[in-house]
Amino acid sequence: MSLGRVIGAVCSVACAAICPAASPSDSAYQDLIEGAVKKGVPGVQAHVRRGELRWSGSAGASSVETKTAMTLTRPIRLASLTKMMTYAAVIELVKQNRLALSDRAIDLLPPATLGGIPYAGDITVNHLLEHKSGLHNFNGEDGADFFRDLFNDPNRGARRWTPLELVAYAKKSEHKPTGRPGERFAYSSTGYMVLQMILEQIEKKPLNEIYRALLFEPLQMNATGVEGTDFTTNEIADSYARPSLSDSVRPSPFAGRKRIRADGLTNLSAGLRYYNAWAQSAGAAAAPVTDLERFMDAVIAGRVEVLSDQRAQFERSKSNPDRRFSWNGGSWGVQASILCEPASDITTIVLLNASNAGGTSHEIALDLLKAARRRD
């Protein structure tokens, strides 16, 4: 029996044990995620909600080498879906009148924290939340210097970067602002590092404890945490990827790592104490899909806010069948997607422990959403 068949057999048994109440009509969802595994995705967790109807399932492996089945209790890296949690935590402090969206970042941080950054005095909390700060994105397309430092670091597997170290990339003369604060949208993980510093300055505690107090405990997200403080790699599903052409033009996480599958699949997190901890408030959270289900329930109910003018946006979308909200996270070995369609009252969540291996999390989430529409 091939390795793929062994994994598939193991995971089919695991899911049947986890989801004994699944109805025959839910088999279409399970077929979709098992189909993704057959196409090369190592492991997947998925959730579908249509009104009061719910389904969650898993397929594939959390560890290909050990043939460990992916289960609904295993945390998977969320990459930039973490930013939703950071956004929500900031808004919780706004609701408590401990922070205002119009507050200037420099007034909330120790002196000189943002020194050397053009227009820093004009950046507000709202600019940071909405990616309108103008701050250089340290891990974006112009982030070769950061990735060089990250992947060439001999202590990479144990190092815990600080937000201040990551914001420092925006202070380099070669990294000009993408615009004046408020001028335009320009995605920036650096802005979320500044938000983390603001949260920690106000709350006087580390990010993971802030998330736990404001979000995880109230929402009973008991298996969610932050890599680097709550989790090491041993507690998270392994992250896999295949090299792509783009990986050859900048420092690569594939260097020195052996392929474990004929198609080039590589375990990128093996042997490291931390793999994605450097991303912190911009991408270091890990969770099982069932915890994200609770998070999204709170978003849809309006108890948690991850969008500007969220209530009004959702209400307007209920009358527009073509309006869909989409949140995605991705990095080497990580893919995560949430789709929410208010008009049909459908939410789908897909977490993969791989990139460039089979379908994408967004594609699978969209396929699940289409299947949910057909369930009448």
Side-chain angles (χ1 to χ4, degrees):
M1 182 178 288
S2 69
L3 177 60
R5 288 181 180 176
V6 169
I7 293 170
V10 170
C11 294
S12 294
V13 172
C15 188
I18 293 164
C19 313
S23 67
S25 57
D26 290 329
S27 62
Y29 302 145
Q30 188 66 33
D31 288 346
L32 280 170
I33 63 172
E34 290 185 357
V37 172
K38 291 176 181 177
K39 292 177 182 178
V41 172
V44 54
Q45 294 178 16
H47 172 74
V48 179
R49 181 198 62 81
R50 179 172 181 176
E52 298 300 316
L53 300 176
R54 295 169 184 272
W55 171 88
S56 296
S58 61
S62 65
S63 171
V64 174
E65 298 93 318
T66 64
K67 305 180 181 64
T68 303
M70 180 65 76
T71 68
L72 292 174
T73 59
R74 188 69 168 174
I76 297 184
R77 293 177 175 92
L78 303 181
S80 284
L81 290 192
T82 305
K83 291 183 176 72
M84 298 174 73
M85 299 171 185
T86 305
Y87 194 115
V90 170
I91 296 302
E92 287 302 308
L93 293 190
V94 172
K95 291 176 181 177
Q96 296 173 16
N97 294 317
R98 303 182 63 198
L99 187 64
L101 294 178
S102 59
D103 286 344
R104 298 193 309 165
I106 61 168
D107 295 333
L108 300 169
L109 295 168
T113 300
L114 302 181
I117 295 177
Y119 316 125
D122 297 330
I123 298 173
T124 67
V125 171
N126 193 58
H127 291 146
L128 296 166
L129 285 173
E130 304 300 337
H131 298 282
K132 294 183 178 181
S133 66
L135 288 169
H136 159 75
N137 187 18
F138 73 90
N139 65 330
E141 293 182 2
D142 190 27
D145 52 348
F146 164 69
F147 288 111
R148 181 176 60 249
D149 294 343
L150 175 67
F151 296 130
N152 289 338
D153 185 349
N155 195 41
R156 173 191 163 209
R159 179 177 178 179
R160 291 171 56 187
W161 290 72
T162 68
L164 197 58
E165 288 175 322
L166 297 171
V167 170
Y169 287 92
K171 298 182 180 184
K172 291 186 173 183
S173 59
E174 63 266 33
H175 292 317
K176 304 299 182 185
T178 57
R180 297 188 70 97
E183 187 174 52
R184 65 171 66 92
F185 177 94
Y187 193 86
S188 178
S189 292
T190 309
Y192 274 68
M193 291 299 110
V194 178
L195 287 172
Q196 177 176 338
M197 290 192 289
I198 291 172
L199 285 169
E200 293 179 337
Q201 180 70 19
I202 293 173
E203 291 288 84
K204 307 301 182 187
K205 62 178 72 170
L207 179 71
N208 65 316
E209 294 183 17
I210 295 171
Y211 283 158
R212 186 165 295 109
L214 297 179
L215 298 170
F216 300 164
E217 288 184 355
L219 300 178
Q220 298 183 12
M221 298 170 65
N222 300 323
T224 302
V226 178
E227 186 172 4
T229 47
D230 297 314
F231 296 138
T232 64
T233 53
N234 292 335
E235 298 159 293
I236 306 172
D238 288 345
S239 287
Y240 299 89
R242 294 186 307 162
S244 65
L245 182 61
S246 62
D247 293 321
S248 65
V249 297
R250 66 184 188 183
S252 169
F254 295 90
R257 293 191 168 265
K258 295 180 180 178
R259 298 181 177 187
I260 62 168
R261 212 165 64 184
D263 65 353
L265 191 73
T266 304
N267 188 331
L268 300 179
S269 58
L272 303 177
R273 181 171 176 78
Y274 308 125
Y275 175 60
N276 218 44
W278 57 265
Q280 301 185 77
S281 61
V289 75
T290 47
D291 273 10
L292 287 188
E293 170 192 356
R294 297 183 182 96
F295 184 80
M296 283 306 298
D297 282 352
V299 169
I300 292 165
R303 300 194 308 274
V304 167
E305 294 183 34
V306 296
L307 293 169
S308 174
D309 200 19
Q310 179 173 295
R311 184 189 299 270
Q313 286 204 58
F314 276 13
E315 283 300 317
R316 288 194 296 269
S317 298
K318 288 179 181 178
S319 60
N320 183 352
D322 297 322
R323 181 71 169 102
R324 182 186 308 129
F325 296 92
S326 175
W327 296 272
N328 298 279
S331 184
W332 289 282
V334 187
Q335 288 188 79
S337 294
I338 300 175
L339 300 182
C340 178
E341 194 172 75
S344 59
D345 199 17
I346 295 173
T347 300
T348 61
I349 308 172
V350 173
L351 307 180
L352 307 182
N353 62 343
S355 60
N356 193 34
T360 69
S361 59
H362 185 87
E363 290 168 346
I364 299 168
L366 186 56
D367 287 343
L368 289 169
L369 188 147
K370 292 176 180 176
R373 286 184 189 147
R374 294 192 294 267
R375 275 199 57 185
D376 287 316

